[in-house]
Amino acid sequence: MANLLIIGAGGVGRVSAFKAAKNTDTFRNIVLASRTKSKCEKIAKDIKEKLGIDIKTYALDANKEENVIELIKKENIDIVCHVALPYQNIPIMQACIKTGAAYLDTALAETEDNPDTYYDLQWALDEEFKKAKTMALLGCGFDPGVTSIMVKYAADYLLDKIEAVDIYDCNFGDHGRHFATNFDPEINLRELNLPGKYWENGEWKTTQPFEIETKHSYPECGEATSILIWHEELESIVKHFPSLKRARFFMCFSDKYLYHFKALKNVGMFDIKPIKICENCEISPLQFLAKILPDPQELVTNYKGKTNIGVIVEGIKEGKKKKYYIYNICNHEKAIKETGAHCVSYTTGVPAIIGCKLMAKKIWWNEGVHNVEEFDAKPFFEEMEKQGLPIKVTEIKE
Amino acid sequence: MANLLIIGAGGVGRVSAFKAAKNTDTFRNIVLASRTKSKCEKIAKDIKEKLGIDIKTYALDANKEENVIELIKKENIDIVCHVALPYQNIPIMQACIKTGAAYLDTALAETEDNPDTYYDLQWALDEEFKKAKTMALLGCGFDPGVTSIMVKYAADYLLDKIEAVDIYDCNFGDHGRHFATNFDPEINLRELNLPGKYWENGEWKTTQPFEIETKHSYPECGEATSILIWHEELESIVKHFPSLKRARFFMCFSDKYLYHFKALKNVGMFDIKPIKICENCEISPLQFLAKILPDPQELVTNYKGKTNIGVIVEGIKEGKKKKYYIYNICNHEKAIKETGAHCVSYTTGVPAIIGCKLMAKKIWWNEGVHNVEEFDAKPFFEEMEKQGLPIKVTEIKE
């Protein structure tokens, strides 16, 4: 039994708290903390009403490690599930090092002035986690997270040697708004404005943003224009599977989304350089845009349709070329009914809690800083089935 | 000889100052004032270099009438040419009432919280101007301004009775930017987001913004999609020409402009309700957008093409239906070469200085508050020819 601290009370925090409350065989004391305590209280109230479980709530500024240390000590926390902003990864990791709590996140550390960051900052803390006799599990949402575990599953159970990975992420849902992001607008739009990047023949190749697009057919959902973007799990997959000759990430966008995205980009609304508004007060165009776009959590009203995220892994099995499509489909209305959050939050929060659960049970345990593909995929997939996100594996025969 | 105070150092202020400096037979002392003195100094320097004329410059917050009064008294000003923001019409008019200076503007008074304003606020000052034995000439740019004078010309010199007026305004120029406004972005975009409105059969009819569009053929320029919008001179034209059965205003927009305009509107970037950014600091989406769009003055680099603004006046002459197209064409490169400002500024600043000149010479003079169509069009058109904006009159035979 472990005491769990969830940091972040957006959509992912909501799903994580709900799922933790459904796993009280693993989690004894569930604490939810975020900058805005009222958001935690709303989630706690919903969980109490739906599941009859009590969770504790706190206001917490997680940018300061001393605040996190204080809360970890006060509540005797064993595992910190960090699903707030990626600006806070490092102070929260430092708090875990100083208290011996285990750490999990779902997105890699970023700084406000630079969205183009890599795992080095977090991997560099490996020795410190080892000394503290605890572990950090990085990138344990869906993508990054489950996508890498899918690759690991293919490498261990489907193929003798893996050669190529293409990740495809598509939200076929419709929230009816002109333009909105499904998670924090600032973090989401920073990511999409980076140059595209992919691995091919032993080197990284860079594209202009949105330079490469393809029509991809998503099983059970249909075809959608999908654009090659840089996505952080490519870095760790390429590191951990050195036999890979190619690794790419594609995300689909609706015409409506692309129309607004391109216009806003042209006008400069995605710039991250702050503009002075008043004496001692500045804000970047992207941060301002984030303030006026719909709250991703509010999209749950009338959100319909499904998400489809998966990987196509190519490789060799017994001397023959083989190709597998491993994917998950999530239904927005079902996710909202269960947790009050749509699939983009659901598919991130559920794997995060599974990661915490496997660490709590020491099924996934190795002191230091690790990515999810360093562990056995099978117990994770078994939990995915139980926790509402079943994985499908199909062979693609050509 | 009159002492002239020009308030505003944007593109229109620049053109006004240049044109005043070319009319030193009328203007003795030319003073240019704006919130930012450095902008005035840059214009003064350019005028000194090009024309060898000295103009004086001042920093002035024209939102406060006492500041304007002080400057009028200090420089012994006879005429105030107000080409700053329409938020400042009323304090500047009050300063004229209190000092006896004549007043001219090129856009009707607005308040920050309401873009949907009418002439009533300014017409209400008629008695006070009469008591002060001076006059205010409202809306003496191109549109409003020359467009109304064109109607007056048709009423006095071309037709016995005028029945319909359609105003067409098109900028065929290309500044090469994704999205920019040709004058103050905040004022421009507020205007375009109002419902459309036009006069038909004795009543005002309202449309959704951008509801009515038509293909119009602009003489010497070509066809362009033109959208019915509300424009302030319609109010005064309908008042002063009671025989009118119809009065409409159409403005053309490029596909590129509309692409960005619609996306920004959908996202809420035109909202004028302030959003809190920091403690004691707020800004509306529209004001924020205005901060990141190109400075209209900067568009002069590589601005090519022409503007075409005119009116089609229909009516009766000697018992027969007649129709005239009265218009002006302005060439961006020529305007920039002469004054450093493009046609959208040039076509506003030149008529403003002509209005000041006719008031200075008492050719247009009547104590109280007046619109341009209350005066004889001929001397104005003669000046237009001399000052670089010739008017063409053609009969449309069907």
Side-chain angles (χ1 to χ4, degrees), chain A residues 189-204:
Chain A
L189 293 167
R190 279 159 65 103
E191 168 179 283
L192 298 181
N193 277 286
L194 291 174
K197 196 158 73 172
Y198 63 102
W199 179 255
E200 197 171 60
N201 297 325
E203 61 179 19
W204 291 108

Side-chain angles (χ1 to χ4, degrees), chain A residues 327-366:
Chain A
Y327 63 94
N328 164 264
I329 288 172
C330 179
N331 179 306
H332 285 295
E333 286 171 284
K334 217 173 130 189
I336 292 162
K337 196 175 168 198
E338 183 188 340
T339 64
H342 52 66
C343 287
V344 181
S345 305
Y346 193 87
T347 55
T348 308
V350 172
I353 288 302
I354 294 173
C356 292
K357 187 171 178 179
L358 295 183
M359 286 197 289
K361 290 177 176 289
K362 299 287 191 280
I363 298 171
W364 276 20
W365 188 263
N366 189 7

